Amino acid sequence: MNGHQTRAIVRIREMILRGELGPGERVAEAPLAERLGMSRTPVRQALPVLAQEGLLAEHQTRGYVVRGFSTADVLDAIDLRGVLEGLAARRVAERGASRTLLQALRVCLAEGDQILAEGHVADKFEALYVDMNVRFHQLIVAECRSPIIQQALERNARIPFAGPQALALDKTSLERMYDTMAYAHRQHHCIVSALERGESSRVEALMREHTNPVKENLNIPGTSEEPREVKPHLALVR
Amino acid sequence: MNGHQTRAIVRIREMILRGELGPGERVAEAPLAERLGMSRTPVRQALPVLAQEGLLAEHQTRGYVVRGFSTADVLDAIDLRGVLEGLAARRVAERGASRTLLQALRVCLAEGDQILAEGHVADKFEALYVDMNVRFHQLIVAECRSPIIQQALERNARIPFAGPQALALDKTSLERMYDTMAYAHRQHHCIVSALERGESSRVEALMREHTNPVKENLNIPGTSEEPREVKPHLALVR
Amino acid sequence: MNGHQTRAIVRIREMILRGELGPGERVAEAPLAERLGMSRTPVRQALPVLAQEGLLAEHQTRGYVVRGFSTADVLDAIDLRGVLEGLAARRVAERGASRTLLQALRVCLAEGDQILAEGHVADKFEALYVDMNVRFHQLIVAECRSPIIQQALERNARIPFAGPQALALDKTSLERMYDTMAYAHRQHHCIVSALERGESSRVEALMREHTNPVKENLNIPGTSEEPREVKPHLALVR
Amino acid sequence: MNGHQTRAIVRIREMILRGELGPGERVAEAPLAERLGMSRTPVRQALPVLAQEGLLAEHQTRGYVVRGFSTADVLDAIDLRGVLEGLAARRVAERGASRTLLQALRVCLAEGDQILAEGHVADKFEALYVDMNVRFHQLIVAECRSPIIQQALERNARIPFAGPQALALDKTSLERMYDTMAYAHRQHHCIVSALERGESSRVEALMREHTNPVKENLNIPGTSEEPREVKPHLALVR
């Protein structure tokens, strides 16, 4: 994926999530390229990627249209992810986490610690963190060995921000973004600690609570802790 | 639905749930009718009903085959239902249950009380109870007004015993069946009481616990409280 | 303890719990005996027993006075008991319940089943059930081996109805009393089942929920599920 | 309280918590002053303060002796505090937090944010943070208006580290101490957010989880997340 395509994906994503492109709206190559001040090729390449992410739907005759997700849907799906991952983690703790799992999770913890040791958002920071984060969550769910829970999570992850790859980074404030990462990663430490000690009730509660940094960063009116004047500048990291 | 068809449905269901018909096995009209000692017509009529229930799948050329659900899948889906309904009920309690909801639920409670007042499993007992039970659960989920949770529940309900219509009645013991009904209905009373008082944490825990009578009645080795010698005679009530 | 003394204890207890004897009120032998239509000896013998139960306090010069417990205190202490026993049970489940504990609990289950098998409230029913109930709860708390939790429970148990010996039996309706016993004992079965399977989150929730039958039987306005016209006739069983 | 007395208190506290002064050991003025390289006056003044904190007990004839608290007691009491404060916070959320409470809590949040904005442990940092922390917790418990819960918390707080004034600061690493403060204060933000939205189940889980930073900082073998070689240098801040 080249730089132009990536930029096109990021920009169109933001337009959808901010509502600049509304549900059901047709997304045509030419006007979009003009609006973005880009050439048509990267825009054309971006559309199938966004369709796979669930933000666009392929229309029989009209190319691509924006899929309809309400704010409530997004928040519900984030909650649901916490509830499903909480169920998976609780079960893992009840049965006793395997040494293999704990070792793999400790590698994730060390990676995150190293990324955060910079003390600020460094280059390549996001991609590395997201990669570690996805692995961390998948390891726990996989250990649960439940196709039912796995499928429910996969289905749920089609909704924007409802997967571990979606950190909803608030790029308007790099400092705020760093603090959120640091907080979320400390939760990772607590989750591993709870799994080590078989604290199944605690690990379930932690997994649920762990989705709140995502919700807060979404900056959706009525969900964030305090009213904020600033318009959100979200970037969906995958 | 006539008596012969009903009997065919119940019998084939039991064969699948007891593993007498294994996953992937072809279910052909003629040999099955012979095995059941029934004529072919009710068996032929039963198959599409069982397909709609999710126990059979339509095969391109071979008619119907048994869908593959492991015991673990069934138990996971029951747990998942408790977790999803728990999430829905918690939210309803947090926002405050509407008067309309509480009134409709109290009607369900009264109906159940009346059914149980017989002191034993009476005629038409099951159908009335199941009808009330389905309504009770749907009312709460509907009040939550979350398409995301609703869809996750609907998807989950395709797995046998993972919907409120599936009580997994253990017909080998009518007394045991009555006791389970009475216990489950007392939980209904507690759920309404918790909703009335806004006890959201309690109502979530109750909704989760409320799936355990179903699991116990399934009589699956390793899940029931005590080892039982008797072979289960399950009947999936819809 | 002879019959007259027992009757005196039960009657004076009821007077306190119904507010016929108010907080701080002096409880003198002679007028009380007259009011109850009993001779003075059993009343005199009853007072130190009620003092030990926490319902009366010894006054320096005035004999005994009614201790002040508000309805809110009683309900809070019942909740607190559920929370403390829930913590103890969760820990037992997290560490893994010992075979010895599970065997002793199964004996309690069998005893309760036998008592309830009568199908109605039989002679000596209450005392046997209460004895089993106290043992059941103490076994779990003891296995937790935490002097801190143990002491907090003991301190809390001084408040009426906040110990496992207090079932707050509603003797106005023997049928209702039987149903409550049956429900509470089914919860015992679930608690043992959760301990056997190491379901620590579930066992904590069950222990908390298990206090609700007590609260409901107290028939305190605003706490019971439905408004009731009948004046309560509580009897505190010890 | 002058500087010498404070230093004496802090040093003797550390000796007790590190086990350099064992349970039951007599704490005599003269040898202790010599051991600490201090004059006798500040040591004499320190002892009644430590007795009030619960670390020393007054002996009939032998002056002061070290009270016996096992590590298990300390950890249990910390857990118990989380459970009791969790119960209080849940109830506040269920009834709806008052505007007055939320405003007072937001003042605490702002104070903590300002303290932490330094980016490192600044002068007077600890005292200000501890003061804010105590207020934060007391506000929530007070709003619950339950003498029963209040008394259980007060009784529990006599055990070292089981009150909100005890942060168990790990002074061997100022950086680590800052990170723990920042994490704990972010939990404060989440707690207020949950109270604002009436998320009672979440606020209870947060209150319980909120005790874990204290436990981790205690650095007790077998409780901290990872084995640590370094000997702890705890300081009990009051």
Side-chain angles (χ1 to χ4, degrees):
Chain A
M1 207 180 286
N2 63 50
H4 288 292
Q5 192 190 349
T6 304
R7 249 185 55 225
I9 292 168
V10 169
R11 285 288 295 116
I12 303 169
R13 243 198 235 121
E14 288 178 346
M15 290 173 77
I16 295 168
L17 293 170
R18 289 189 212 158
E20 296 169 21
L21 289 168
E25 193 170 336
R26 199 186 154 202
V27 179
E29 215 174 291
L32 198 56
E34 197 179 336
R35 202 164 154 186
L36 293 170
M38 302 176 85
S39 63
R40 290 176 60 166
T41 308
V43 170
R44 186 173 54 245
Q45 291 168 336
L47 300 185
V49 175
L50 292 162
Q52 203 181 321
E53 286 176 7
L55 292 167
L56 298 179
E58 241 174 310
H59 193 273
Q60 273 180 296
T61 55
R62 300 172 61 211
Y64 292 95
V65 293
V66 177
R67 287 189 58 192
F69 288 112
S70 69
T71 301
D73 284 348
V74 170
L75 291 173
D76 283 1
I78 293 172
D79 271 2
L80 187 49
R81 180 191 151 205
V83 162
L84 293 168
E85 289 191 349
L87 172 59
R90 165 156 60 90
R91 287 206 179 174
V92 169
E94 280 174 5
R95 293 174 195 155
S98 69
R99 293 180 69 88
T100 318
L101 173 66
L102 292 174
Q103 277 166 359
L105 292 176
R106 280 191 212 108
V107 169
C108 291
L109 293 184
E111 281 178 34
D113 289 347
Q114 209 180 336
I115 293 166
L116 289 159
E118 298 284 331
H120 62 277
V121 178
D123 263 10
K124 302 201 173 178
F125 175 91
E126 288 175 29
L128 287 171
Y129 189 89
V130 168
D131 175 67
M132 177 279 292
N133 194 49
V134 170
R135 220 175 335 123
F136 185 90
H137 287 263
Q138 283 178 347
L139 279 164
I140 293 172
V141 173
E143 174 104 348
C144 179
R145 285 187 306 280
S146 164
I148 295 293
I149 298 174
Q150 185 93 46
Q151 283 159 22
L153 271 165
E154 278 163 18
R155 196 172 168 74
N156 191 53
R158 295 181 200 174
I159 292 161
F161 301 107
Q165 74 285 31
L167 289 167
L169 301 173
D170 182 347
K171 293 193 171 167
T172 43
S173 162
L174 289 184
E175 201 186 328
R176 189 176 146 82
M177 181 163 137
Y178 178 81
D179 288 349
T180 297
M181 294 281 168
Y183 179 67
H185 193 56
R186 183 118 186 187
Q187 290 181 322
H188 288 159
H189 277 270
C190 292
I191 288 163
V192 173
S193 171
L195 286 174
E196 284 173 337
R197 300 182 212 165
E199 296 170 342
S200 55
S201 176
R202 183 186 169 206
V203 85
E204 180 169 19
L206 279 164
M207 274 300 198
R208 290 171 164 222
E209 186 58 32
H210 189 47
T211 59
N212 275 288
V214 178
K215 282 203 276 182
E216 277 167 28
N217 267 4
L218 278 174
N219 255 340
I220 297 171
T223 63
S224 61
E225 200 181 295
E226 288 153 45
R228 289 193 188 86
E229 277 75 35
V230 189
K231 191 87 192 66
H233 292 273
L234 294 170
L236 178 61
V237 175
R238 296 259 173 179
Chain B
M1 207 179 286
N2 62 50
H4 288 291
Q5 191 189 350
T6 304
R7 249 185 54 225
I9 292 168
V10 169
R11 285 288 294 116
I12 303 170
R13 243 197 234 123
E14 288 178 346
M15 290 173 77
I16 295 168
L17 293 170
R18 290 189 212 157
E20 295 169 20
L21 288 168
E25 193 170 335
R26 198 185 155 202
V27 179
E29 217 173 289
L32 199 55
E34 197 179 338
R35 202 163 154 186
L36 293 170
M38 302 177 86
S39 65
R40 289 175 61 166
T41 308
V43 170
R44 185 173 55 245
Q45 290 167 336
L47 300 185
V49 176
L50 292 161
Q52 203 181 321
E53 285 176 7
L55 292 168
L56 298 180
E58 241 175 309
H59 192 273
Q60 273 181 296
T61 55
R62 300 173 60 211
Y64 292 95
V65 293
V66 177
R67 287 189 58 193
F69 288 113
S70 69
T71 301
D73 284 348
V74 170
L75 291 173
D76 283 1
I78 293 172
D79 271 2
L80 187 49
R81 180 191 151 205
V83 162
L84 293 168
E85 290 191 348
L87 172 59
R90 166 156 59 90
R91 286 204 179 176
V92 169
E94 280 173 5
R95 293 174 196 155
S98 69
R99 293 180 69 87
T100 318
L101 174 67
L102 292 174
Q103 277 166 359
L105 292 176
R106 280 190 213 109
V107 170
C108 291
L109 293 183
E111 280 178 35
D113 288 347
Q114 209 181 336
I115 293 167
L116 289 159
E118 299 284 331
H120 62 277
V121 178
D123 262 11
K124 303 202 173 178
F125 175 91
E126 287 175 29
L128 287 170
Y129 188 89
V130 167
D131 175 66
M132 178 279 292
N133 194 49
V134 170
R135 219 173 339 120
F136 185 90
H137 287 264
Q138 283 178 347
L139 280 164
I140 293 172
V141 173
E143 173 105 348
C144 179
R145 286 187 306 280
S146 164
I148 295 293
I149 298 173
Q150 185 93 46
Q151 283 159 22
L153 271 165
E154 278 163 17
R155 197 173 168 74
N156 191 52
R158 295 180 200 174
I159 293 161
F161 301 106
Q165 74 284 31
L167 289 167
L169 301 173
D170 183 348
K171 293 194 172 167
T172 43
S173 162
L174 289 184
E175 201 186 329
R176 189 177 146 82
M177 182 164 137
Y178 178 82
D179 288 349
T180 298
M181 294 281 168
Y183 178 67
H185 193 56
R186 182 119 186 186
Q187 290 180 322
H188 288 159
H189 276 270
C190 292
I191 287 164
V192 174
S193 172
L195 286 174
E196 284 173 338
R197 301 181 212 166
E199 297 170 341
S200 55
S201 176
R202 183 185 170 206
V203 84
E204 181 169 19
L206 279 164
M207 274 299 198
R208 290 171 164 222
E209 187 58 32
H210 189 47
T211 59
N212 275 289
V214 178
K215 282 202 276 182
E216 277 167 27
N217 268 4
L218 278 174
N219 255 340
I220 298 171
T223 62
S224 61
E225 203 181 293
E226 288 154 46
R228 290 193 187 86
E229 277 75 35
V230 189
K231 191 87 192 65
H233 292 273
L234 294 170
L236 178 61
V237 176
R238 295 261 172 177
Chain C
M1 207 179 288
N2 63 50
H4 288 292
Q5 192 189 349
T6 304
R7 249 185 54 224
I9 292 169
V10 169
R11 285 289 294 116
I12 303 170
R13 242 197 237 122
E14 287 178 346
M15 290 174 76
I16 295 168
L17 293 169
R18 289 189 212 158
E20 295 169 21
L21 288 168
E25 192 170 336
R26 198 185 155 203
V27 179
E29 217 173 290
L32 199 56
E34 198 179 335
R35 202 164 155 185
L36 293 170
M38 302 177 87
S39 64
R40 290 175 61 166
T41 308
V43 170
R44 186 173 54 245
Q45 291 167 336
L47 300 185
V49 176
L50 292 161
Q52 204 181 321
E53 285 176 8
L55 291 168
L56 298 180
E58 241 175 309
H59 193 273
Q60 273 180 296
T61 55
R62 299 173 60 209
Y64 292 95
V65 294
V66 177
R67 287 189 59 192
F69 288 113
S70 68
T71 301
D73 284 348
V74 170
L75 291 173
D76 283 1
I78 293 172
D79 271 2
L80 186 49
R81 180 191 152 205
V83 162
L84 292 168
E85 289 191 349
L87 172 59
R90 166 156 59 90
R91 286 206 180 173
V92 169
E94 279 174 4
R95 293 173 196 156
S98 69
R99 292 181 70 87
T100 318
L101 174 67
L102 292 174
Q103 277 166 359
L105 292 176
R106 279 191 213 108
V107 170
C108 292
L109 293 184
E111 281 178 34
D113 288 347
Q114 209 180 335
I115 294 167
L116 289 159
E118 299 285 331
H120 62 278
V121 178
D123 262 10
K124 302 203 174 178
F125 175 91
E126 288 175 29
L128 287 171
Y129 188 89
V130 167
D131 175 66
M132 177 280 292
N133 193 49
V134 170
R135 220 173 339 120
F136 185 90
H137 287 263
Q138 283 178 347
L139 280 164
I140 293 171
V141 173
E143 173 105 347
C144 180
R145 285 187 306 280
S146 164
I148 295 292
I149 298 173
Q150 185 93 45
Q151 284 159 22
L153 271 165
E154 279 163 18
R155 198 173 167 73
N156 191 53
R158 296 180 200 174
I159 292 161
F161 301 107
Q165 74 284 31
L167 289 168
L169 301 173
D170 182 347
K171 292 193 171 168
T172 43
S173 162
L174 290 184
E175 201 185 330
R176 190 177 145 82
M177 182 163 136
Y178 178 82
D179 288 350
T180 297
M181 294 282 168
Y183 179 67
H185 193 56
R186 182 119 186 186
Q187 289 181 323
H188 288 160
H189 277 270
C190 291
I191 287 164
V192 174
S193 172
L195 286 174
E196 284 173 338
R197 301 182 212 165
E199 296 170 343
S200 55
S201 176
R202 184 186 169 206
V203 85
E204 181 170 19
L206 279 164
M207 274 299 199
R208 290 171 164 223
E209 186 58 32
H210 189 47
T211 60
N212 275 289
V214 178
K215 282 203 275 182
E216 277 167 27
N217 268 4
L218 278 174
N219 254 340
I220 298 171
T223 62
S224 61
E225 202 182 292
E226 287 154 46
R228 289 192 188 88
E229 277 75 35
V230 189
K231 190 87 193 65
H233 293 273
L234 294 170
L236 178 61
V237 176
R238 296 258 172 178
Chain D
M1 207 180 288
N2 63 50
H4 288 293
Q5 191 190 349
T6 304
R7 249 184 55 223
I9 292 168
V10 169
R11 285 289 293 117
I12 303 169
R13 242 196 236 123
E14 288 178 345
M15 290 173 77
I16 295 168
L17 293 169
R18 288 188 212 159
E20 296 170 21
L21 289 168
E25 192 170 336
R26 198 185 154 204
V27 179
E29 216 174 290
L32 198 55
E34 198 179 335
R35 202 164 154 186
L36 293 170
M38 302 176 87
S39 64
R40 290 175 61 166
T41 308
V43 170
R44 186 173 54 245
Q45 291 167 336
L47 300 185
V49 176
L50 292 161
Q52 203 181 320
E53 286 176 7
L55 292 167
L56 298 179
E58 241 175 309
H59 193 273
Q60 273 180 294
T61 55
R62 299 172 61 209
Y64 292 95
V65 294
V66 178
R67 286 189 59 191
F69 287 114
S70 69
T71 301
D73 284 348
V74 170
L75 292 173
D76 283 1
I78 293 172
D79 271 2
L80 187 49
R81 180 190 151 205
V83 162
L84 292 168
E85 290 191 349
L87 172 58
R90 165 156 60 90
R91 286 206 180 173
V92 169
E94 279 173 5
R95 293 174 196 156
S98 69
R99 292 180 69 88
T100 318
L101 174 67
L102 292 174
Q103 277 166 0
L105 292 176
R106 280 190 212 109
V107 170
C108 291
L109 293 184
E111 280 178 35
D113 288 347
Q114 209 180 335
I115 293 166
L116 289 160
E118 298 284 331
H120 62 278
V121 178
D123 263 10
K124 302 201 173 179
F125 175 91
E126 288 174 29
L128 287 171
Y129 188 89
V130 168
D131 175 66
M132 177 280 292
N133 193 50
V134 170
R135 220 173 338 121
F136 185 90
H137 287 263
Q138 283 178 347
L139 279 164
I140 293 172
V141 173
E143 174 105 347
C144 180
R145 285 186 306 280
S146 164
I148 295 293
I149 298 174
Q150 185 93 44
Q151 283 158 22
L153 271 165
E154 278 163 18
R155 198 174 166 73
N156 191 52
R158 296 181 200 174
I159 292 161
F161 301 108
Q165 75 284 30
L167 289 167
L169 300 172
D170 182 347
K171 293 193 171 168
T172 43
S173 162
L174 290 184
E175 201 186 329
R176 189 176 146 81
M177 182 164 136
Y178 177 82
D179 288 350
T180 297
M181 294 282 168
Y183 179 67
H185 193 56
R186 182 119 186 185
Q187 289 181 322
H188 288 160
H189 277 270
C190 291
I191 287 163
V192 173
S193 171
L195 285 174
E196 284 173 338
R197 300 182 213 166
E199 296 170 342
S200 55
S201 177
R202 184 186 169 206
V203 85
E204 180 169 20
L206 278 164
M207 274 299 198
R208 290 171 164 222
E209 186 58 32
H210 189 47
T211 60
N212 275 289
V214 178
K215 283 202 276 182
E216 278 167 27
N217 267 5
L218 278 174
N219 254 340
I220 297 171
T223 62
S224 61
E225 199 182 296
E226 287 154 46
R228 289 192 187 89
E229 277 75 35
V230 189
K231 191 87 191 64
H233 292 273
L234 294 170
L236 178 61
V237 176
R238 296 258 172 179

